[in-house]
Each structure stands twice: as C-alpha cells, then as structure tokens.
Amino acid sequence: QVQLVESGGGSVQAGGSLRLSCAASGNTYNINYMGWFRQSPGKEREWVATIHTTSGNAWYGDSVKGRFTISQDKAKNAIYLEMSSLGPEDTAMYYCAARGRGWYFAATRQAYPSEYDNWGQGTQVTVSS
C-alpha cells in the first residue's frame, strides 16, 4: 500500500505563488507516475499535472500550462507543484495521486482520476482577488 500526504496549501492573493508538496511512503517502488488533481465544490476532479518518476517527463493540463511546474525529489519520494500567477479560478482542494500499473501510461489517459491507484487527503488552496 502507498500513503500520500500533501502539504503547502494556504491562502494567497491573486498573482501570488504557492508550492505544494506530496510525500509518498509504503510500497513506493511500484510507483511509475505521480500527479496532481484539484477539485472545487460542485465540480469534477480536474487534472493538473503528471510526472513520470523514472524520466522526470511531465505533462500539464491546459488551464495550468505555463504557470505550474511539477517536480520530484526521488531521494525523498516526494513530488512538488510550484504554482505561480495564481487566480481565483485556481481555488480548490489539491490532491496528490500515484499510479503503479506499469511503465506505460498514455498521455490521453492521464487526466482520468480512475487511472491512478492511490490518493492523498488533499490540501486546500484559496486565492483571493
């Protein structure tokens, strides 16, 4: 089993920045991909970014491309989400996710929450205008 714990959320004014962290523990050797999703009340869970833990290759959702950066620290079994130019539309609960189903993960499937095996409890990000 894999446990994921997010941290770093908080309140920030529009235009500001935040850095989220996600620490993985347990059977982390199975993990090949990790990612971030977010969800606002009344909305579906939205894909933010995914990183391939072996190569470091990353993919982003259109709404965050150019503003958010996903990265990792393999030694710490952690991933991060650097968020900049934040706007009220970025307000949401941010969730860390991990996938351990094998080396291949089609880019067209990365946005689907069902493609991930483990989830954290989330960390709240609130952006005020």
Side-chain angles (χ1 to χ4, degrees):
Q1 190 62 281
V2 172
Q3 292 79 43
L4 303 173
V5 179
E6 303 96 334
S7 61
S11 297
V12 64
Q13 289 192 329
S17 302
L18 274 177
R19 185 190 195 218
L20 305 183
S21 301
C22 172
S25 60
N27 294 332
T28 58
Y29 58 86
N30 280 332
I31 298 174
N32 288 304
Y33 294 84
M34 294 186 71
W36 291 96
F37 283 75
R38 65 187 183 184
Q39 189 167 20
S40 303
K43 293 187 178 181
E44 293 187 352
R45 194 162 291 194
E46 177 191 11
W47 174 60
V48 174
T50 296
I51 188 166
H52 183 212
T53 57
T54 300
S55 66
N57 289 340
W59 300 263
Y60 297 90
D62 289 341
S63 63
V64 306
K65 202 171 294 183
R67 299 188 299 123
F68 291 11
T69 302
I70 188 171
S71 62
Q72 63 176 346
D73 184 332
K74 292 184 180 181
K76 295 182 179 179
N77 286 324
I79 64 168
Y80 307 95
L81 187 67
E82 297 276 359
M83 306 184 294
S84 62
S85 301
L86 287 164
E89 67 276 11
D90 296 311
T91 294
M93 185 72 78
Y94 282 71
Y95 296 93
C96 176
R99 173 182 166 100
R101 303 181 194 179
W103 65 272
Y104 180 69
F105 189 13
T108 55
R109 300 298 303 172
Q110 291 173 4
Y112 293 89
S114 60
E115 294 288 340
Y116 297 79
D117 303 303
N118 306 99
W119 293 86
Q121 294 300 307
T123 186
Q124 178 68 37
V125 172
T126 302
V127 184
S128 58
S129 57

